[in-house]
Amino acid sequence: PYGPIRPTHTIRVRPLTCSETRRGDQRVVATSLLGPGYATFGFSAVFDAGDSQEAVFEGSGMRQLVELATDGFSCTVFAFGQTGSGKTYTLMGPLGQVQHCPPNPTGSWWCPMQAVALTWLSIRDLLSPGPPCTLPLRWSKTRGFYVENQLSVDFESLEAIASLLLQGSQRRRTSAHALNRHSSRSHALLTIHIRSRNQASARPSRQGTLCFVDLAGSERVKETGSSGELSIEANNINRSLLALGHCISMLAKPRGKRTHVPYRDSKLTRLLARSLGGSGVTLMVACISPSSRCLSETLSTLHYASRARRVTTRPLANRKLLQSLEEEIHALQLENLSLRQQLGLPRVPMRSTEVLGTPMRMGAWPGLGGRFGPAGLHQFPLEGQLPLEGAPAWPSLYGLLRDFVVENEQLR
């Protein structure tokens, strides 16, 4: 478990388009420090037009988010910004360039995937074959808000998930207007449920989720030239983004000054309630245009992202999983203590700490390797504590378990 943390926020600036260059638009965004007289914003990471997808993946913290998801956490990546700012490309990239990935040699993975498109009025399944139909949004005490009758599709390789992504993106409705020839007319949520089990041991399964949220772009009808049905869709998109903004504004306030967080104001905020202010880990990517013509929308996105930076979540892994890990670690500690006594090795007293508020004896012994703290004790954060920003991450329960397994093998 972690204490309250702030989501990671990154900015990605797309290149000027050919039409913007021909029109003579000026580049009005700089990704370096400037002098007085400029509007300045600070974020965890900033990516310019020349940065690759790989650079964004590594530099934004996305790799760490994937690792947390495989460790049992609920993780979410948001991409938001003006229409045509590069949100879908940032999340999906060029699907035709997926490299082959060898199977996992240390265990088996089961990863069902779901994808839906949301408008103000409806939710549609992007992976279900046949004509699109509206799915109901339900709520339960155990699951929170969820989409009923949503299709789950299993995949076993990167090639398979790329094929599913392509299928889902083709079923997502798009239209052309003055600012974007392929403007998405709905928000899209792609959720991957990660389940794993090491077949070589009794180690319990890990259960995490990785959710990608591609928000439809904010639109000014005057700039896009939309009319008729497109104008109605644009208003509904802006309406749902406004509801999301209200939730973020409320969550950004100190806990003592918060009133009601209006999650129920839209389907989008209901589905994202846990990611926004709950027990998940969140990465937000604000995509902006450098064009002078889009300056007002770019500033709006940057202010929106700055507000979202003040939101905190309390990440928490699957409780049943953590309890199983704690029990396994405690059994290894007792066995290792018995082995040390049989070998006549000196005993280092075990120390109590808490994980999820449950007393648990943590300990290890010097001279046997592993990642141990002072006096041979393996350090682990108490609930509510978190390392300072920029400091090394605390070891996970899996890392702690691995250390005790290595120690057990050496003692044997």
Side-chain angles (χ1 to χ4, degrees):
Y2 291 88
I5 67 169
R6 298 189 188 280
T8 301
H9 288 76
T10 65
I11 299 294
R12 189 176 196 186
V13 186
R14 67 159 171 80
L16 284 170
T17 64
C18 294
S19 60
E20 289 170 340
T21 302
R22 287 194 302 266
R23 193 170 55 221
D25 291 7
Q26 299 298 310
R27 181 182 174 90
V28 295
V29 176
T31 56
S32 59
L33 294 176
L34 299 172
Y38 292 88
T40 58
F41 301 86
F43 297 96
S44 307
V46 179
F47 302 95
D48 211 341
D51 290 314
S52 65
Q53 288 288 96
E54 291 78 11
V56 175
F57 181 83
E58 297 292 344
S60 65
M62 185 63 218
R63 179 180 293 278
Q64 290 82 353
L65 208 68
V66 173
E67 292 171 354
L68 283 170
T70 59
D71 271 347
F73 287 87
S74 295
C75 301
T76 304
V77 185
F78 286 88
F80 61 97
Q82 180 188 15
T83 180
S85 58
K87 300 179 297 298
T88 302
Y89 181 85
T90 295
L91 287 184
M92 297 179 60
L95 294 178
Q97 300 179 15
V98 176
Q99 297 179 353
H100 174 70
C101 181
N104 182 2
T106 60
S108 61
W109 296 87
W110 174 49
C111 299
M113 184 173 76
Q114 299 170 319
V116 294
L118 288 87
T119 65
W120 182 260
L121 300 173
S122 65
I123 301 175
R124 294 187 298 105
D125 199 321
L126 292 177
L127 300 182
S128 178
C133 59
T134 300
L135 300 177
L137 183 61
R138 306 293 189 197
W139 183 86
S140 71
K141 291 182 179 179
T142 56
R143 299 176 61 182
F145 291 104
Y146 68 97
V147 179
E148 192 175 48
N149 300 326
Q150 188 177 2
L151 180 67
S152 292
V153 180
D154 297 343
F155 66 91
E156 298 179 351
S157 66
L158 286 179
E159 293 86 348
I161 193 173
S163 175
L164 289 171
L165 282 172
L166 185 59
Q167 172 187 334
S169 64
Q170 290 173 343
R171 291 174 62 88
R172 189 180 179 191
R173 185 170 175 269
T174 61
S175 294
H177 54 62
L179 295 183
N180 189 354
R181 290 182 298 172
H182 304 283
S183 175
S184 300
R185 311 315 293 167
S186 62
H187 311 294
L189 275 69
L190 167 71
T191 305
I192 301 174
H193 301 272
I194 300 174
R195 308 287 186 266
S196 70
R197 188 174 188 87
N198 194 323
Q199 303 291 354
S201 69
R203 177 171 162 177
S205 299
R206 289 172 278 184
Q207 303 178 26
T209 59
L210 189 58
C211 181
F212 297 89
V213 182
D214 183 9
L215 295 174
S218 56
E219 297 183 12
R220 294 193 177 188
V221 175
K222 182 179 178 180
E223 296 290 334
T224 61
S226 301
S227 60
E229 185 179 354
L230 283 182
S231 177
I232 295 174
E233 288 176 344
N235 288 332
N236 284 335
I237 288 171
N238 292 337
R239 191 178 174 188
S240 62
L241 291 175
L242 185 62
L244 178 60
H246 286 163
C247 289
I248 289 176
S249 295
M250 190 57 63
L251 290 167
K253 294 181 179 180
R255 286 187 175 270
K257 296 183 179 181
R258 288 183 194 172
T259 56
H260 171 66
V261 181
Y263 290 124
R264 292 181 177 268
D265 281 2
S266 74
K267 291 179 171 60
L268 177 66
T269 49
R270 275 179 273 179
L271 280 179
L272 297 180
R274 185 172 297 178
S275 301
L276 288 172
S279 57
V281 185
T282 303
L283 166 64
M284 293 189 173
V285 183
C287 299
I288 60 176
S289 163
S291 169
S292 53
R293 185 179 181 183
C294 301
L295 178 58
S296 60
E297 281 292 326
T298 293
L299 285 172
S300 177
T301 299
L302 292 172
H303 284 297
Y304 192 97
S306 295
R307 273 202 316 276
R309 289 186 68 203
R310 298 194 293 270
V311 177
T312 58
T313 62
R314 293 177 176 268
L316 192 65
N318 182 285
R319 285 179 175 265
K320 292 182 179 179
L321 168 65
L322 288 176
Q323 183 178 358
S324 299
L325 287 173
E326 291 165 7
E327 292 172 354
E328 189 171 356
I329 289 171
H330 186 54
L332 277 170
Q333 285 181 294
L334 294 178
E335 182 178 345
N336 290 356
L337 177 60
S338 174
L339 290 171
R340 285 190 71 86
Q341 291 174 341
Q342 294 177 49
L343 292 169
L345 296 175
R347 171 183 174 180
V348 176
M350 294 194 298
R351 189 172 80 180
S352 293
T353 184
E354 290 185 359
V355 176
L356 288 177
T358 304
M360 175 182 172
R361 303 192 62 80
M362 294 282 184
W365 296 269
L368 292 175
R371 299 172 294 167
F372 303 112
L377 290 172
H378 198 304
Q379 304 299 302
F380 197 82
L382 300 180
E383 184 168 10
Q385 294 180 342
L386 200 74
L388 296 174
E389 186 173 349
W394 289 99
S396 67
L397 278 179
Y398 285 107
L400 186 60
L401 176 63
R402 182 173 59 249
D403 289 339
F404 282 115
V405 168
V406 169
E407 181 184 47
N408 184 269
E409 292 174 350
Q410 293 175 340
L411 285 169
R412 284 177 178 275

